[in-house]
């Protein structure tokens, strides 16, 4: 009787925990797609060019990519509730700053702060959920709800972005986070329980700084190269700096006792190929969706609201397909499901490269849906493959690296495909022609990746655990790491 009474007393707290963590992750995922719908309005009202739009997106994604691993360790060391609430507060305040931004520079600064908040909020929300459900079956059920409910933000984003932007202008897409953040802070302070892992590893500060500077310099060169010219001193200097910084990062990580990126993991073929494919998914998915609303508004003359609705097939297909991808992989294997997904998404993007101003929407929506179905089949199985390639104790680390790889791919996708468009325009081609080439490039890379996974997405030999692997979701149960990480992957961030 006493035990039953104790369980009953914990249920309201768990219900509040699930609601708070789901809503926080929902807010982060909503931001991923709601901004895309507002890009045409931002371009007009801020008087910016394509380069400015690239920075609005990449400033956020770059910071998330570089701080995601450290955010998980930070939550384990200093308290998951504390880091979660700090992340919510930073994300909410940054959203207000974005909504009030009088210029492109202020908006990009706000997006940087938003990325920092998301990098703390997202891993801490999952860590809170995992630590509160020590029983494996309860934990898996809770994480499934977390992934499914928060993932709705991806599908809602284009529609919400279109409605808010069309009615109030682009600042409204950021200002809507204010009441959500306020509710999360009030409920979280009252209902969340603090938890931490005293044995969590130290944060790899040199690795974090070098990786951020290196990828940032590379991103700067790719974005500005399309605007300034590929042979300009600033662009060449940024590429040179990126090469030096990334080489220094590899050197530091190879010598560090507890690196954020243990290079020994890449000796496993399954780990290397799955992360390579995940980088391609981030590259092609984010790089192409960056242009969806711009295509409908700038090329086909749609309103912002209508464009938001027109881009829905991709995100909706991903939300519907992603939850089943893990089950399909368990039945047919990682290689079969991932290769099928890439083999659908690649030709889907190639087909989008043949769409023009006079193409009816009836001949466009199914291409967007095919792309969404294809990428929806890849996310969870690729993270599952990365986790399977390492020891059970390193599941959290493998999942964190997989998520970071996807984010880095997204940064480079927006930068490089945007550079394709700008380069074609500087040569006298139209914006429509530039978009066609960008979609064709994304499709070619994705289709090539399908061949790569078909040949090599298999385990080479059993993985050997390293001496001091960081546990970014730090739960005492190894199966909790695997379950949580695969569920996390089913909800694209």
């Amino acid at each position: 009787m006493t035990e039953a009474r104790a369980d009953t007393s914990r249920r309201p707290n768990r219900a509040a925990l699930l609601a708070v963590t789901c809503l926080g992750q929902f807010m982060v995922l909503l931001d991923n797609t709601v901004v895309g719908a507002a890009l045409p309005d931002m371009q007009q009202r801020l008087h910016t060019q394509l380069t400015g739009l690239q920075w609005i997106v990449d400033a956020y994604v770059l910071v998330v990519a570089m701080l995601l691993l450290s955010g998980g360790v930070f939550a384990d060391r200093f308290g998951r509730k504390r880091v979660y609430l700090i992340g919510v507060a930073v994300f909410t305040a940054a959203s207000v700053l974005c909504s009030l931004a009088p210029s492109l520079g202020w908006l990009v600064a706000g997006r940087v702060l938003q990325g920092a908040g998301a990098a703390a909020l997202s891993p801490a929300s999952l860590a809170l959920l995992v630590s509160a459900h020590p029983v494996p079956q309860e934990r898996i059920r809770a994480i499934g709800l977390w992934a499914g409910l928060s993932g709705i933000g991806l599908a809602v984003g284009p529609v919400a972005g279109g409605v808010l932007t069309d009615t109030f202008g682009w600042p409204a897409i950021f200002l809507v986070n204010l009441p959500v953040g306020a509710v999360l802070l009030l409920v979280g302070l009252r209902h969340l329980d603090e938890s931490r892992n005293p044995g969590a590893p130290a944060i790899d500060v040199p690795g974090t700084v070098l990786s951020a500077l290196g990828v940032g310099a590379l991103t700067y060169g790719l974005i500005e190269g399309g605007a300034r010219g590929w042979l300009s001193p600033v662009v060449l200097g940024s590429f040179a700096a990126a090469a030096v910084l990334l080489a220094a990062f590899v050197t530091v990580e190879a010598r560090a006792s507890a690196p954020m990126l243990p290079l020994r993991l890449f000796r496993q073929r399954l780990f290397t190929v799955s992360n390579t494919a995940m980088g391609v998914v981030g590259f092609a998915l984010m790089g192409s969706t960056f242009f969806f609303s711009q295509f409908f508004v700038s090329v086909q003359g749609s309103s912002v609201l209508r464009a938001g609705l027109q881009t829905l097939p991709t995100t909706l297909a991903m939300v519907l397909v992603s939850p089943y991808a893990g089950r399909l992989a368990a039945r047919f294997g990682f290689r079969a499901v991932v290769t099928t997904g890439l083999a659908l998404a690649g030709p889907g993007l190639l087909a989008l490269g043949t769409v023009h101003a006079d193409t009816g929407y009836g001949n466009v929506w199914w291409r967007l849906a095919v792309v969404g179905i294809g990428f929806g089949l890849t996310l969870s199985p690729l993270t599952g493959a990365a986790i399977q390639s390492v020891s059970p104790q390193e599941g959290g680390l493998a999942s964190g690296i997989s998520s970071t790889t996807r984010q880095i791919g997204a940064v480079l996708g927006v930068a490089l495909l945007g550079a394709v468009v700008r380069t074609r325009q500087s040569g006298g081609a139209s914006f429509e022609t530039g978009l066609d080439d960008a979609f064709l490039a994304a499709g070619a890379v994705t289709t090539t990746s399908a061949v790569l996974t078909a040949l090599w997405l298999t385990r080479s030999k059993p993985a050997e655990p390293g001496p001091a692997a960081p546990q970014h979701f730090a739960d005492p149960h190894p199966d909790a790491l695997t379950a949580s990480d695969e569920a996390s992957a089913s909800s694209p961030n």
Side-chain angles (χ1 to χ4, degrees):
M1 289 293 293
T2 304
E3 184 178 350
R5 195 176 297 115
D7 284 343
T8 301
S9 67
R10 284 196 298 266
R11 282 174 190 165
N13 190 43
R14 285 191 177 183
L17 169 68
L18 182 61
V20 170
T21 53
C22 283
L23 187 57
Q25 185 70 358
F26 173 90
M27 185 169 64
V28 171
L29 294 182
L30 178 69
D31 192 78
N32 282 354
T33 51
V34 74
V35 171
L39 288 175
D41 191 56
M42 291 177 177
Q43 184 172 21
Q44 180 180 359
R45 298 198 184 200
L46 293 173
H47 307 290
T48 186
Q49 301 298 318
L50 179 61
T51 300
L53 300 183
Q54 289 175 277
W55 281 120
I56 292 171
V57 173
D58 264 357
Y60 173 84
V61 182
L62 178 61
V63 174
V64 172
M66 295 299 99
L67 297 183
L68 195 61
L69 287 173
S70 297
V73 177
F74 207 85
D76 289 338
R77 284 178 64 86
F78 301 106
R80 293 148 185 165
K81 174 182 177 179
R82 176 183 299 175
V83 172
Y84 175 81
L85 293 178
I86 290 174
V88 170
V90 171
F91 190 91
T92 304
S95 297
V96 176
L97 176 61
C98 289
S99 69
L100 300 175
S103 64
L104 175 65
W106 280 103
L107 179 55
V108 171
R111 293 287 283 165
V112 169
L113 289 177
Q114 264 195 321
L121 185 164
S122 189
S125 71
L126 183 56
L128 280 167
L129 202 64
V130 169
S131 64
H133 294 82
V135 179
Q137 290 304 317
E138 291 183 1
R139 184 170 55 245
I140 292 172
R141 193 178 304 114
I143 291 169
L145 288 172
W146 177 86
L149 294 175
S150 59
I152 296 173
L154 290 173
V156 172
V159 179
V163 171
L164 290 170
T165 303
D166 194 59
T167 306
F168 304 106
W170 67 262
I173 68 168
F174 298 111
L175 199 57
V176 74
N177 291 329
L178 179 58
V180 177
V183 170
L184 288 175
L185 289 173
L186 292 174
V187 178
L189 283 169
R190 181 174 180 180
H191 291 286
L192 293 182
D193 295 326
E194 186 60 279
S195 65
R196 56 172 54 86
N197 175 19
I203 297 174
D204 181 8
V205 175
T208 301
V209 172
L210 287 172
S211 62
L213 293 176
V215 177
L218 178 60
T219 303
Y220 182 88
L222 290 173
I223 291 179
E224 295 297 328
R228 297 173 180 263
W230 296 106
L231 298 180
S232 69
V234 173
V235 172
L236 292 177
S238 68
F239 286 140
V244 172
L245 290 166
L246 292 175
F249 168 75
V250 172
T251 301
V252 167
E253 295 301 281
R255 297 178 179 179
S257 59
M260 63 179 287
L261 181 63
L263 300 180
R264 59 178 171 76
L265 296 180
F266 290 95
R267 297 172 188 164
Q268 302 299 324
R269 182 172 63 194
L270 185 60
F271 185 84
T272 301
V273 175
S274 63
N275 276 282
T276 300
M278 187 64 93
V280 170
V281 170
F283 174 92
L285 177 59
M286 192 68 173
S288 59
T289 56
F290 172 76
F291 288 111
F292 284 174
S293 288
Q294 296 181 68
F295 167 77
F296 286 118
V297 173
S298 301
V299 176
Q300 292 202 326
S302 295
S303 66
V304 173
L305 173 57
R306 185 180 178 188
L309 294 171
Q310 288 174 314
T311 62
L312 191 57
T314 298
T315 52
L316 187 59
M318 289 184 64
V319 170
L320 294 176
V321 171
S322 291
Y324 299 98
R327 301 178 193 176
L328 292 172
R331 181 173 181 180
F332 299 105
F334 296 124
R335 178 166 60 177
V337 177
V338 170
T339 300
T340 300
L342 294 173
L344 286 171
L349 289 169
L350 292 173
L352 284 174
T354 63
V355 171
H356 303 295
D358 56 352
T359 304
Y361 186 69
N363 202 23
V364 176
W365 73 267
W366 63 266
R367 307 174 196 231
L368 298 171
V370 168
V371 171
I373 292 170
F375 285 129
L377 287 173
T378 64
L379 294 169
S380 179
L382 282 174
T383 299
I387 293 171
Q388 191 183 82
S389 67
V390 303
S391 66
Q393 293 76 19
E394 294 177 311
L397 175 62
S399 174
I401 293 173
S402 182
S403 297
T404 301
T405 301
R406 183 175 72 245
Q407 296 284 355
I408 293 175
V411 172
L412 298 179
V414 173
L416 191 53
L417 295 184
V420 169
V421 175
R422 287 300 301 266
T423 301
R424 292 290 284 137
Q425 285 184 299
S426 64
S430 65
F431 181 64
E432 177 185 345
T433 301
L435 288 186
D436 288 342
D437 288 349
F439 289 136
L440 291 173
V445 171
T446 305
T447 303
T448 302
S449 184
V451 177
L452 171 72
T453 58
L455 294 175
W456 293 310
L457 192 64
T458 57
R459 182 190 290 273
S460 53
K461 63 179 180 179
E464 298 179 1
Q471 297 301 316
H472 297 287
F473 295 113
D475 189 271
H477 306 278
D479 59 336
L481 294 171
T482 302
S484 66
D485 300 327
E486 189 163 349
S488 173
S490 71
S491 185
N493 183 7

